[in-house]
Amino acid sequence: MKPKEAIDYGTFSKVDMRVGRIIDVQDFPEAKKPAYKLRIYFGEDIGYKNSSAQITNYRKEELLGMNIIAVVNFPPKQVANFISEVLVLGAITNSGVRLIQADSLSSPGDHIA
């Protein structure tokens, strides 16, 4: 995939990326593509948010407790009968999406620079 068009730092700095901890994972059979419903904790300032994520190459047990990176300032998006409030970030690989993770020293709500 070719690089996308260049943006300036001011545009990039508007993206609010935070560390979140996945606290619940549910199957999402209503989604058009295989996905999970995630409940993610982003610390006291943001609290709990929901996300629909096409990451079924992970087992639910693997996801629980994982520190992930998500964009928290996109508008909510309806996916089937579910409102997805944040975009969990991952690398698109030949074997599926691989989540971008924060190490265990990171805390929910930490800003990504």
Side-chain angles (χ1 to χ4, degrees):
M1 177 182 285
K2 287 186 171 187
K4 296 184 179 186
E5 119 184 32
I7 61 172
D8 61 31
Y9 183 77
T11 300
F12 175 75
S13 68
K14 293 177 183 177
V15 179
D16 189 357
M17 293 178 284
R18 304 283 184 112
V19 174
R21 184 166 297 135
I22 298 173
I23 62 159
D24 190 40
V25 182
Q26 298 295 319
D27 291 325
F28 191 9
E30 300 87 359
K32 288 181 183 177
K33 295 182 180 179
Y36 289 131
K37 294 178 186 178
L38 304 178
R39 185 82 169 148
I40 306 167
Y41 180 63
F42 288 97
E44 288 185 24
D45 289 343
I46 296 174
Y48 297 88
K49 296 288 182 181
N50 295 317
S51 184
S52 169
Q54 296 173 4
I55 52 170
T56 55
N57 51 308
Y58 288 90
R59 293 185 331 274
K60 290 191 277 189
E61 301 78 29
E62 289 179 274
L63 295 169
L64 282 174
M66 186 182 286
N67 279 349
I68 52 84
I69 308 299
V71 175
V72 298
N73 65 333
F74 282 145
K77 179 178 180 180
Q78 183 153 358
V79 180
N81 60 348
F82 183 74
I83 301 297
S84 187
E85 301 171 291
V86 299
L87 176 65
V88 177
L89 300 179
I92 300 170
T93 72
N94 290 335
S95 62
V97 175
R98 301 304 304 169
L99 294 177
I100 299 172
Q101 298 180 47
D103 68 22
S104 61
L105 299 177
S106 302
S107 297
D110 285 351
H111 289 268
I112 303 302

